[in-house]
Amino acid sequence: MSAIVSSPATPSQQPAEIAAKAHHNKHGKGFINPWPSYQEQSGPQIMGKILKMRVTGQWKDPDTTPPTVPIVKPHFLPTRQTEKLRATWLGHACYYVEFPGGLRVLFDPVFTERCSPFTKHMGLDDTHVTEMDWWEEKQITLSPSSQPGSTDQIQQDISATIGCLPCQHTSARTAFDKAHTLWASWSITSGDRKIWFGGDTGYRTVPSLPAEEFDYGEKYSDLPHCPAFAQIGELRGPFDLGLIPIGAYDPRSIMSPMHANPYDSVNIFVDTKCKKALGIHWGTWVLTSEEVMEPPKVLKKALKWKGVEKDRFETCDIGESREID
């Protein structure tokens, strides 16, 4: 199999203000979140808040005693022939998606015992990497291998358009490279199917509140939310499937700038104009303090709160596949 990467003949729409590159750090290296929905917190600030919560007894460690998330053996299609979009959850934010027409996409693979800066090795070299900025697109064409004896299943060219889109997060591998690389969400279109991968993102920054207080109540209705998702829906949607984060959100005063809770997730789902969605970024590693199985339970409440049918945004067992018409 060979791959050719090029610019699309007909580029998709972009926001008018993107030319200003507001997300590029004009006063240093790297990037920023250019919206009031994001409030910067340094590593020492976050650690200080966590330490204070532990000392005062406010921090809770989730119970990881089995059973937690059910795990089933994944089954992938034996050939590239399928009439439906098919998505298999492999844990955390990793999904393997099989498109009609033969395209196969593996999102965010992390196959290690723990998720940390010291064990996540992608094994890629620069010759197989294409860098993109927000709202940029690339066309990729996969062609059958001409090598003798090849077992390549591709019988004809497969084309896809990959779009790099905004999200609200940050990046770092060490204490000295924060925000040096750009975080993003992604769209992939192949044939007549289109999906949006939200990856790891926040939606709004929530202040410290009493534990029983609902941060989507009228009292907090003026908290700004990230406008990028509505732009994605308006300019690149609708999407047949959204892969949207629902976990690693507690405590909200620390995690909300970068991690969506299910109420945020449902708003993101509506903003991006996804027809259906599956939850990601939960149930695999203990990253925060909510209970392991809490996100899907809260998701059901959030869907009812938003007036969205519960079968439009669901979760899977690890290894389970869902087919999307």
Side-chain angles (χ1 to χ4, degrees):
M1 179 176 67
S2 62
I4 298 175
V5 178
S6 60
S7 296
T10 307
S12 299
Q13 288 181 282
Q14 297 183 345
E17 68 271 17
I18 193 61
K21 301 289 184 184
H23 61 292
H24 288 223
N25 188 351
K26 306 298 193 298
H27 306 288
K29 185 175 181 179
F31 306 90
I32 63 170
N33 290 285
W35 315 289
S37 56
Y38 180 83
Q39 292 182 13
E40 183 67 39
Q41 299 181 91
S42 68
Q45 283 178 314
I46 293 173
M47 294 306 298
K49 288 181 179 181
I50 293 175
L51 179 60
K52 182 180 178 180
M53 293 181 73
R54 285 192 176 278
V55 170
T56 59
Q58 294 175 290
W59 184 272
K60 55 181 180 179
D61 289 311
D63 182 7
T64 59
T65 305
T68 53
V69 184
I71 300 174
V72 299
K73 183 178 180 180
H75 292 281
F76 307 116
L77 297 175
T79 72
R80 290 180 176 265
Q81 304 304 312
T82 176
E83 295 182 356
K84 296 183 178 181
L85 192 64
R86 190 171 186 271
T88 305
W89 188 38
L90 300 179
H92 198 54
C94 183
Y95 255 93
Y96 181 69
V97 181
E98 299 164 284
F99 282 77
L103 182 70
R104 301 293 181 261
V105 180
L106 182 63
F107 287 101
D108 202 6
V110 185
F111 302 128
T112 55
E113 291 296 323
R114 69 180 190 273
C115 187
S116 77
F118 306 106
T119 61
K120 188 175 180 180
H121 303 294
M122 300 303 293
L124 300 176
D125 61 75
D126 291 344
T127 61
H128 295 93
V129 173
T130 298
E131 293 187 354
M132 299 169 69
D133 201 348
W134 286 353
W135 297 103
E136 290 183 349
E137 290 181 306
K138 292 296 181 181
Q139 182 88 23
I140 183 169
T141 302
L142 306 176
S143 299
S145 174
S146 59
Q147 297 295 322
S150 171
T151 58
D152 188 357
Q153 290 184 343
I154 294 181
Q155 304 299 317
Q156 58 186 8
D157 287 356
I158 298 173
S159 294
T161 300
I162 300 174
C164 177
L165 296 166
C167 67
Q168 181 172 291
H169 205 259
T170 190
S171 64
R173 302 306 295 166
T174 71
F176 308 102
D177 63 354
K178 187 172 184 179
H180 284 194
T181 56
L182 182 61
W183 47 99
S185 65
W186 300 90
S187 67
I188 296 186
T189 304
S190 184
D192 61 353
R193 304 301 172 92
K194 184 190 298 186
I195 69 173
W196 180 69
F197 176 77
D200 196 352
T201 187
Y203 187 67
R204 61 208 283 265
T205 296
V206 177
S208 181
L209 305 177
E212 69 280 1
E213 194 152 13
F214 181 48
D215 61 63
Y216 268 102
E218 183 63 29
K219 184 178 177 180
Y220 303 103
S221 61
D222 61 341
L223 290 179
H225 65 270
C226 181
F229 302 107
Q231 288 183 316
I232 290 170
E234 183 66 27
L235 300 176
R236 300 292 172 87
F239 299 95
D240 296 291
L241 175 65
L243 301 174
I244 300 178
I246 64 169
Y249 50 77
D250 191 41
R252 289 283 274 159
S253 62
I254 297 174
M255 299 300 170
S256 61
M258 296 183 294
H259 291 171
N261 80 350
Y263 288 90
D264 298 325
S265 307
V266 170
N267 278 320
I268 291 171
F269 169 76
V270 173
D271 286 354
T272 52
K273 298 184 180 179
C274 293
K275 298 175 184 177
K276 292 186 71 77
L278 295 170
I280 62 172
H281 199 264
W282 75 282
T284 307
W285 291 287
V286 174
L287 302 177
T288 47
S289 64
E290 77 269 9
E291 291 298 329
V292 175
M293 298 303 293
E294 182 180 288
K297 296 176 183 177
V298 178
L299 176 62
K300 292 179 180 179
K301 296 178 182 178
L303 290 167
K304 184 177 181 180
W305 165 79
K306 194 69 175 179
V308 176
E309 298 88 343
K310 62 182 181 180
D311 62 346
R312 293 184 61 200
F313 193 161
E314 301 177 296
T315 58
C316 292
D317 295 340
I318 294 176
E320 185 181 0
S321 301
R322 293 293 179 88
E323 290 188 341
I324 311 300
D325 291 326

